[in-house]
Amino acid sequence: MSFLIKVNNKEIEARNGETILDAMERQGIQVPTLCHLKDMLPSGSCRMCVVENAKNNRLVTACSTPVEEGMEIQTHSSGVIESRKTIVELLLSNHPDDCLYCVRNKNCELQDLSEELQIRERRIKGVKNNIHLDRSGTSLVRDPDKCILCGRCVRVCEEVMGVACIDFINRGSQSIIGPPFDRTLNTSSCVNCGQCIMVCPTGALSEKSHFPELISMLNNPEKTVVVQYAPSISVSLAEEFNMPAGGDISSIMNAALRKIGFQYVFDTSFGADLTIMEEAAELVNRIENGDTLPMITSCCPGWVKFAEQFYPDMLPNLSSCKSPQQMMGAVIKSYWAEQLNKNPEDIYSVAIMPCTAKKFEAQREEMTSRGITDVDAVLTTRELGQLIRMYGIDINNISPEATDSPLGFRSSAGKIFGASGGVMEAAIRTAYNMITGEELLKFKVEELRGLDGCKEAQLKVDDLTINVAVVNGLANARKLLDKVNNGEKEYHFIEVMACPGGCINGGGQHIGAAEGAVEARMKALYDIDDKETVKTSHKNPEVIKLYKGFLGKPLEHTSHELLHTHYYKRDVIL
Amino acid sequence: MEKNIEAVLNKYPEGSVDNLIPILQDIQEVDGFLSEESVVKVGEYLNMPASKIYGVATFYNQFRFTPLGKYHIQVCCGTACHVLGSATVLEEIEKNLGVKSGQTAKDGIFSLEVVACIGACGLAPVISINGNFHAKVTSESIKEILDNYRNKE
């Protein structure tokens, strides 16, 4: 049922049960918000979105007040503006004044609001926050001084990720947001996904930077600095430079990376192809030998830590395959180093990922063999943007270049890893071939594409029916795994990605993405898959060569040593 | 301690989140404070993250997170005590013990807590140590009172 309400003296349509904010958004009428998160229940705590109900001159929060027939709303009356201004002035009263040194300088919602509301003097002086900076984690830095207590991180962590490692602590002016017992992030159940960074309006949450070490390595003549970038980076980086979402700029990125000083540039999608070779072989093996099923993907480090904490009994279900980042790192420092006659110890291997949890993954002790780390430093998409700007590279004015070979060619199956459902689709293409010796007639598995949190499909392989599921957002994974555990659902293979939509929406991506950006990034990946001819990992000529000349067969000795890993139950506060 | 927690939890067989605060109160009654271990145990029992429980517990003044000292000092900050200088009394005790309200001194002898009116307004400003009231305390008498307790050790 819909009816009319008046906003700023103009009638607009409102639907029964929606909030004033919903109705106004549809008409393009904007009011500022802070604690509001799209598609989640309103909390109404920051009161930034107040509007005036003209009938009784009272201020109500647009985000949490349902529309009523005959309502008359003023969005920018003098009372409303005054009230919003006071809210921001109060938020600023105890906020540090170090914008120039802040990781979110020029990309901060508090800064924007202060500017929009023309706050030009410090009217309210409060005692500045002075709480410990938490640099204990491998991926995230928590600076509670900069926290304005909007609670968006708390809600994402609990409702989207199903982790709930942080919450409000204390009360009133003593309130902070943090892990239980005022501990640090490293002993909490934080899975390093970085979704809290994505929703943080200020610099209270950010990724841990590896810049100083990286820059010194780039200038060290004894080191060969190599770089790999994840499948989703080339379709996401453009937004860091104000270009529309979804543009694939891989060849420009290759050139930019070389200009910065990376001597060799690789696409992690090659590593993804390798992951598929191993993972598909493992799946076929498990099905044929009647081993633990469902097999669950293990390329997402956020999910892996989640499983180690919350589902330790299901660790045997996780594929033993390392993630594409780690496989790529491992072959760079073995096969590739051998080919180019380089000492693995002199290689500094950098990975650019849409993900903060990859920083954690790279330093897991299982990811080092014989004292050689697979990957030495991990940068997020955002950090790559910063690096390109720091080195003064004009990406609008640069000639495209290709990746380096060997390890330079990728299939489009490796590329679609960046989207939720992509790993599954790529694995199906190769597993089908491994079982039947033939190629699929139709590569596309429509049911597994898109942004739904949980997707399912049934596939016929000869006389075998394989049930698969794809989940993204760890809260969805929790729901699905509980169903699997109580026998309600049965699958052969499950893909889990921690972030909603997969890596294209990872915690290392551009902050403040435009509406529809994630869809655009996803479409860009599938467009690449449509356009290109090598659509399966097992048809990647360089993968074939790598197995022939170095690895042998999937799951055999060398592969096992380099490309597989193990997991263990973690002792953290749940 | 683990047994105490079990015994408390057994009193709430339905394991409902609604019982969170009574459970925490009961545990504090038995243990004197909420330990990390007990919060985690309650979380497992109610299927609730420890962060949520700690959030709830720190919201209320009634919960402590450090064990009580041998002598537990309650400083009354009710209206009458406030008017007659309980703030100075509190400050003096904090200085003397080197702890803040809600904490326990390192030697475990004293713990300190601020409470609302304890119903002895005629004795204001008043403090209670293990239930024994000390009336009309002043910055000067505090040292003496605390030293008396210290000397018993």
Side-chain angles (χ1 to χ4, degrees):
Chain A
M1 200 187 75
S2 72
F3 45 82
L4 294 172
I5 60 169
K6 265 191 181 167
V7 177
N8 300 337
N9 306 319
K10 212 181 133 226
E11 287 193 322
I12 66 164
E13 186 221 5
R15 294 173 193 161
N16 213 3
E18 70 179 355
T19 63
I20 301 174
L21 190 69
D22 294 333
M24 293 197 307
E25 263 182 359
R26 222 179 17 252
Q27 302 294 325
I29 305 169
Q30 287 182 357
V31 293
T33 58
L34 261 182
C35 66
H36 180 66
L37 277 175
K38 216 175 158 38
D39 302 324
M40 282 165 91
L41 284 172
S43 80
S45 59
C46 75
R47 307 201 72 77
M48 206 54 232
C49 65
V50 283
V51 291
E52 191 169 325
N53 185 345
K55 283 197 166 158
N56 55 14
N57 289 331
R58 289 181 70 169
L59 297 176
V60 293
T61 47
C63 74
S64 61
T65 310
V67 286
E68 281 169 33
E69 213 166 341
M71 224 172 201
E72 288 180 28
I73 298 294
Q74 289 293 333
T75 60
H76 288 83
S77 68
S78 58
V80 167
I81 291 177
E82 203 48 46
S83 161
R84 286 187 197 139
K85 215 171 158 174
T86 308
I87 293 166
V88 176
E89 285 178 304
L90 283 166
L91 288 174
L92 292 174
S93 70
N94 66 350
H95 196 85
D97 286 327
D98 58 356
C99 288
L100 287 174
Y101 306 96
C102 180
V103 58
R104 289 289 292 275
N105 190 20
K106 292 160 79 186
N107 185 10
C108 165
E109 290 180 38
L110 189 60
Q111 226 175 33
D112 291 348
L113 283 168
S114 168
E115 200 273 329
E116 274 166 32
L117 289 160
Q118 293 285 304
I119 293 170
R120 291 289 176 266
E121 60 168 332
R122 179 175 294 285
R123 197 163 61 84
I124 307 165
K125 291 190 176 84
V127 179
K128 296 285 170 203
N129 294 334
N130 188 13
I131 310 160
H132 281 299
L133 181 73
D134 179 1
R135 290 182 56 84
S136 65
T138 48
S139 300
L140 307 189
V141 178
R142 221 180 103 243
D143 187 353
D145 283 357
K146 291 179 182 158
C147 175
I148 57 169
L149 303 170
C150 68
R152 298 198 319 209
C153 52
V154 174
R155 295 170 64 201
V156 161
C157 191
E158 182 179 7
E159 294 172 37
V160 179
M161 305 313 285
V163 173
C165 71
I166 48 172
D167 202 348
F168 287 91
I169 301 171
N170 301 330
R171 184 178 51 178
S173 62
Q174 303 294 310
S175 297
I176 61 160
I177 290 175
F181 316 115
D182 300 289
R183 295 258 211 133
T184 46
L185 274 179
N186 59 339
T187 57
S188 78
S189 56
C190 172
V191 298
N192 306 300
C193 70
Q195 286 298 319
C196 53
I197 301 178
M198 302 303 285
V199 296
C200 183
T202 69
L205 290 157
S206 58
E207 66 266 56
K208 202 171 215 177
S209 170
H210 292 172
F211 266 28
E213 184 181 276
L214 169 65
I215 289 167
S216 89
M217 288 299 173
L218 283 169
N219 289 299
N220 183 340
E222 278 158 27
K223 294 281 176 184
T224 306
V225 184
V226 302
V227 66
Q228 54 165 313
Y229 55 80
S232 63
I233 304 292
S234 71
V235 298
S236 315
L237 183 69
E239 292 160 63
E240 279 289 318
F241 297 93
N242 298 323
M243 293 191 253
D248 177 25
I249 55 165
S250 53
S251 42
I252 289 173
M253 213 162 70
N254 295 335
L257 288 166
R258 288 204 185 94
K259 273 195 190 301
I260 290 169
F262 292 102
Q263 284 147 284
Y264 296 89
V265 179
F266 304 109
D267 185 340
T268 313
S269 309
F270 178 89
D273 279 333
L274 266 185
T275 303
I276 287 302
M277 295 300 287
E278 296 294 323
E279 203 156 8
E282 189 183 348
L283 177 69
V284 172
N285 224 341
R286 284 188 190 222
I287 292 175
E288 283 173 352
N289 299 338
D291 284 346
T292 316
L293 286 173
M295 186 171 96
I296 311 178
T297 57
S298 59
C299 22
C300 170
W303 150 243
V304 168
K305 185 165 185 263
F306 184 87
E308 288 177 321
Q309 294 168 176
F310 296 105
Y311 291 92
D313 298 343
M314 291 189 91
L315 292 178
N317 294 69
L318 260 64
S319 160
S320 64
C321 292
K322 285 184 184 174
S323 71
Q325 164 181 288
Q326 298 304 134
M327 284 201 183
M328 194 74 194
V331 291
I332 286 173
K333 289 202 186 174
S334 54
Y335 171 75
W336 182 83
E338 215 175 279
Q339 296 279 308
L340 274 86
N341 220 351
K342 295 204 183 274
N343 184 353
E345 281 163 26
D346 295 333
I347 298 173
Y348 188 73
S349 183
V350 180
I352 295 161
M353 295 284 139
C355 178
T356 44
K358 288 280 170 193
K359 290 178 188 265
F360 166 79
E361 181 182 46
Q363 61 78 55
R364 283 179 69 116
E365 61 175 314
E366 305 83 32
M367 300 301 167
T368 297
S369 48
R370 298 187 209 116
I372 305 226
T373 43
D374 290 349
V375 172
D376 298 294
V378 178
L379 266 60
T380 60
T381 316
R382 292 189 288 273
E383 287 177 289
L384 174 59
Q386 288 159 11
L387 197 66
I388 291 174
R389 284 190 290 270
M390 184 192 268
Y391 276 76
I393 293 158
D394 176 5
I395 65 159
N396 293 308
N397 199 1
I398 192 169
S399 319
E401 291 176 16
T403 46
D404 281 288
S405 247
L407 316 184
F409 190 88
R410 58 147 182 83
S411 76
S412 66
K415 194 73 182 167
I416 58 173
F417 257 60
S420 158
V423 178
M424 179 61 75
E425 216 177 299
I428 290 167
R429 294 176 190 178
T430 293
Y432 185 89
N433 172 270
M434 284 178 176
I435 296 173
T436 64
E438 288 163 27
E439 295 299 332
L440 272 170
L441 289 173
K442 188 171 150 276
F443 287 120
K444 218 183 214 175
V445 190
E446 208 64 65
E447 303 98 293
L448 300 179
R449 296 190 174 187
L451 286 169
D452 284 348
C454 186
K455 299 168 273 188
E456 285 180 311
Q458 258 193 359
L459 309 149
K460 284 248 178 258
V461 183
D462 284 346
D463 46 2
L464 190 73
T465 306
I466 298 181
N467 290 311
V468 301
V470 168
V471 278
N472 58 82
L474 288 173
N476 291 322
R478 205 182 256 280
K479 279 182 221 153
L480 187 85
L481 294 182
D482 290 343
K483 282 183 190 162
V484 169
N485 276 337
N486 66 24
E488 207 177 306
K489 291 275 185 186
E490 250 179 71
Y491 299 105
H492 293 89
F493 191 22
I494 302 172
E495 177 202 298
V496 183
M497 292 293 156
C499 295
C503 311
I504 43 170
N505 191 26
Q509 295 281 40
H510 178 62
I511 293 176
E515 186 143 9
V518 177
E519 287 92 332
R521 295 173 199 160
M522 185 177 261
K523 183 171 177 297
L525 290 180
Y526 287 126
D527 283 350
I528 292 170
D529 187 44
D530 283 343
K531 270 196 312 242
E532 293 185 0
T533 44
V534 182
K535 292 191 203 296
T536 54
S537 304
H538 58 272
K539 283 277 163 72
N540 178 339
E542 292 201 356
V543 166
I544 297 170
K545 211 170 128 198
L546 175 64
Y547 275 103
K548 221 181 212 162
F550 182 69
L551 290 173
K553 277 189 178 146
L555 308 180
E556 274 185 357
H557 181 71
T558 314
S559 303
H560 185 79
E561 196 175 314
L562 279 176
L563 309 180
H564 289 257
T565 183
H566 54 273
Y567 317 100
Y568 62 91
K569 184 178 181 331
R570 274 176 198 274
D571 186 19
V572 294
I573 300 166
L574 296 183
Chain B
M1 194 180 277
E2 207 166 307
K3 266 190 187 148
N4 295 343
I5 302 168
E6 297 281 314
V8 170
L9 295 179
N10 286 340
K11 280 168 55 189
Y12 299 90
E14 64 275 38
S16 155
V17 176
D18 297 347
N19 293 328
L20 174 62
I21 290 176
I23 290 175
L24 295 180
Q25 285 169 326
D26 286 0
I27 291 175
Q28 180 154 299
E29 183 81 38
V30 181
D31 288 350
F33 75 112
L34 298 178
S35 63
E36 284 191 19
E37 184 200 355
S38 62
V39 169
V40 169
K41 274 247 148 36
V42 173
E44 279 167 22
Y45 187 68
L46 299 180
N47 201 10
M48 212 181 166
S51 62
K52 290 254 120 17
I53 300 178
Y54 189 69
V56 169
T58 53
F59 183 86
Y60 296 101
N61 269 339
Q62 59 177 303
F63 295 114
R64 302 176 49 86
F65 302 92
T66 42
L68 289 180
K70 187 167 177 199
Y71 301 108
H72 183 54
I73 308 173
Q74 293 180 308
V75 178
C76 177
C77 285
T79 314
C81 292
H82 176 74
V83 170
L84 290 170
S86 61
T88 324
V89 171
L90 177 65
E91 207 179 297
E92 199 60 41
I93 300 178
E94 284 181 344
K95 238 195 290 171
N96 191 303
L97 301 180
V99 295
K100 292 269 175 212
S101 166
Q103 295 177 336
T104 302
K106 281 213 178 80
D107 56 13
I109 297 176
F110 291 108
S111 53
L112 179 62
E113 183 185 16
V114 173
V115 292
C117 185
I118 51 177
C121 305
L123 307 177
V126 62
I127 65 171
S128 149
I129 300 181
N130 285 359
N132 298 322
F133 284 13
H134 296 264
K136 302 198 177 170
V137 288
T138 60
S139 329
E140 293 79 44
S141 67
I142 282 165
K143 190 178 179 300
E144 208 175 302
I145 297 168
L146 296 179
D147 282 345
N148 275 340
Y149 282 96
R150 279 200 186 99
N151 290 338
K152 287 187 193 168
E153 291 310 301

